[in-house]
């Protein structure tokens, strides 16, 4: 070997090299998701401890099943919200779609299987159509998502009140037994379905385009990605999931209320943020949004068993959301700093 030759470099050991080891890279790329798992675990432990302190026993099958059933509408609403957020957009019409879906399910569905299936399809198509309108206005009309979907929300709230002026109606018993049975773990099946839908969508061309558009629209367009079509499909997906969430809310409440979905507009965004999905687009996971939905559901239980006055619960929920978002941002910043420092060594 001559003096000018160099010996082959040894393979980098774990934790060394330009980008660090595999664990370091995985942590940097999935900071929000890892924190969502941590928050979900902490919240579950708090719930179990407070429940045991109040009842002198651990939650049984009924309590755990009810918790899952209560989380399912938010799980689907948050998962749908994930798609426009990943494109650096936002869908404020989620609550309005749920209002209309809930009202239609409680007033139009008959008790027969045929009627249930027909109205389920129609409600899902209504959600998709709402998302289509939002997507066209955002992608082709070049309007701001927050303005478009806020206007759509107001229109949908009016439609829901027209369908059901006063709370009432009845969700068919078959729908309640199928989607929200307190004696059977059907809610877990629905959560598993939501996770499966995300894994499938994430690995399709559509899923990859969502991330590309959210990261850099100009670069995505230069690579031949149909940016406008991808944006439209993101909002169509959000609307469809919101309609499904409205159906599940109707099954959980066993009745209709034209304003029952309003609260999901903001808490679906909160679940997405807690789940580590970046509001700037291009980063995050639908699994994180699902975990965020469970964190918020468990938070309500924790506040209840902690004997917090219901009037002050929104305050504590807001504080928790701010702290969780700040924790995610700080953890991401710390991991990025570590990667930069390692690359400079």
């Amino acid at each position: 070997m001559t003096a000018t030759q160099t010996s082959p470099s040894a393979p980098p050991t774990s934790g060394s090299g330009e980008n660090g080891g595999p664990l370091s890279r995985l942590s940097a790329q999935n900071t929000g998701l890892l924190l969502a798992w941590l928050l979900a675990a902490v919240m579950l432990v708090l719930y179990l401890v407070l429940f045991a302190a109040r009842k002198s026993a651990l939650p049984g099958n009924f309590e755990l099943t009810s918790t899952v059933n209560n989380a399912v509408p938010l799980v689907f609403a948050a998962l749908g919200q994930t798609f426009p957020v990943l494109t650096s957009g936002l869908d404020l019409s989620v609550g309005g779609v749920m209002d209309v879906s809930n009202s239609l399910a409680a007033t139009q569905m008959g008790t027969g299987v045929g009627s249930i299936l027909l109205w389920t399809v129609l409600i899902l198509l209504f959600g998709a159509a709402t998302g289509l309108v939002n997507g066209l206005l955002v992608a082709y009309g070049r309007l701001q998502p927050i303005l478009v979907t806020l206007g759509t929300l107001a229109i949908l709230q009016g439609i829901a009140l027209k369908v059901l002026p006063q709370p009432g109606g009845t969700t068919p018993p078959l729908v309640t037994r199928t989607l929200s049975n307190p004696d059977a773990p059907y809610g877990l099946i629905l959560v598993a379905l939501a996770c499966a839908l995300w894994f499938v969508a994430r690995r399709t061309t559509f899923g990859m385009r969502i991330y590309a558009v959210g990261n850099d629209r100009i670069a995505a367009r230069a690579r031949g990605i149909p940016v406008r079509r991808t944006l439209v499909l993101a909002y169509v997906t959000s609307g469809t999931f919101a309609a499904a969430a409205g159906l599940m809310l109707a099954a959980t409440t066993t009745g209709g209320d034209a304003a029952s979905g309003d609260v999901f507009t903001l808490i679906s965004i909160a679940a997405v943020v807690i789940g580590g999905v970046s509001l700037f687009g291009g980063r995050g996971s639908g699994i994180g949004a699902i975990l965020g939905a469970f964190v918020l559901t468990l938070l309500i239980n924790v506040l209840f068993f902690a004997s917090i006055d219901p009037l002050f619960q929104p305050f504590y929920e807001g504080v928790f959301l701010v702290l969780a978002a700040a924790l995610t941002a700080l953890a991401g910043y710390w991991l990025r700093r570590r990667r930069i420092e390692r690359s400079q060594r």
Side-chain angles (χ1 to χ4, degrees):
M1 182 183 298
T2 65
T4 58
Q5 291 176 317
T6 58
S7 60
S9 301
T13 58
S14 177
S16 64
E18 181 180 356
N19 294 321
L23 182 60
S24 175
R25 291 195 296 273
L26 179 65
S27 299
Q29 294 169 1
N30 299 277
T31 305
L33 182 59
L34 293 174
L35 286 175
W37 279 108
L38 177 61
L39 286 173
V42 170
M43 201 59 63
L44 178 60
V45 170
L46 281 175
Y47 169 58
L48 295 176
V49 169
L50 290 173
F51 187 97
R54 175 75 70 87
K55 302 290 186 179
S56 300
L58 289 174
N61 177 69
F62 176 81
E63 288 81 12
L64 295 176
T65 301
S66 298
T67 299
V68 173
N69 288 341
N70 290 334
V72 166
L74 181 55
V75 164
F76 277 79
L79 183 58
Q81 183 76 254
T82 301
F83 288 89
V85 169
L86 283 173
T87 66
S88 70
L90 204 62
D91 189 356
L92 297 180
S93 67
V94 165
V97 174
M98 292 182 68
D99 285 338
V100 176
S101 302
N102 181 288
S103 301
L104 288 174
T107 59
Q108 303 301 319
M109 273 188 178
T111 56
V113 176
S115 176
I116 292 173
L117 292 177
L118 173 63
W119 277 101
T120 297
V121 172
L122 290 176
I123 288 171
L124 293 177
L125 288 175
F126 173 80
T130 301
L132 178 62
V133 172
N134 288 335
L136 290 174
L137 290 174
V138 170
Y140 292 91
R142 298 180 181 275
L143 300 176
Q144 289 296 323
I146 190 171
L147 296 178
V148 170
T149 56
L150 184 61
T152 308
L153 171 64
I155 294 171
L156 292 172
Q157 287 173 331
I159 294 174
L161 286 171
K162 182 67 175 178
V163 174
L164 187 62
Q166 300 292 334
T170 302
T171 305
L174 179 59
V175 174
T176 300
R177 290 196 304 270
T178 303
L179 299 180
S180 184
N181 192 332
D183 300 319
Y186 296 153
L188 290 176
I189 297 175
L190 293 172
V191 173
L193 174 62
C195 293
L197 290 173
W198 168 254
F199 279 118
V200 171
R202 177 66 180 89
R203 284 155 181 76
T204 61
T205 301
F206 167 62
M208 292 183 287
R209 287 174 175 176
I210 286 285
Y211 281 90
V213 170
N215 276 311
D216 191 331
R217 293 189 186 184
I218 297 177
R221 187 175 290 109
R223 292 171 57 189
I225 293 176
V227 173
R228 290 180 176 177
R229 188 190 312 166
T230 302
L231 288 173
V232 171
L233 289 176
Y235 284 91
V236 169
T237 304
S238 177
T240 305
F241 272 99
L247 284 171
M248 293 166 192
L249 180 62
T252 302
T253 59
T254 70
D257 187 343
S260 60
D262 291 349
V263 65
F264 286 87
T265 295
L266 294 181
I267 62 173
S268 66
I269 299 173
V272 167
V273 172
I274 290 174
V277 182
S278 173
L279 292 176
F280 296 102
R283 184 180 295 273
S285 168
I287 302 302
I290 292 172
L291 288 170
F294 274 100
V295 168
L296 290 176
T297 303
L298 288 170
L299 176 61
I300 295 174
N301 291 346
V302 167
L303 293 176
F304 173 79
F305 285 105
S307 301
I308 300 297
D309 189 328
L311 292 176
F312 293 101
Q313 284 188 9
F315 169 79
Y316 288 102
E317 291 173 7
V319 170
F320 175 82
L321 175 59
V322 171
L323 292 177
L327 178 62
T328 301
L330 288 174
Y333 174 77
W334 179 73
L335 286 171
R336 286 192 296 271
R337 281 289 301 272
R338 286 196 63 188
R339 295 185 68 189
I340 293 173
E341 290 172 356
R342 288 189 178 191
S343 66
Q344 293 175 345
R345 290 177 184 174

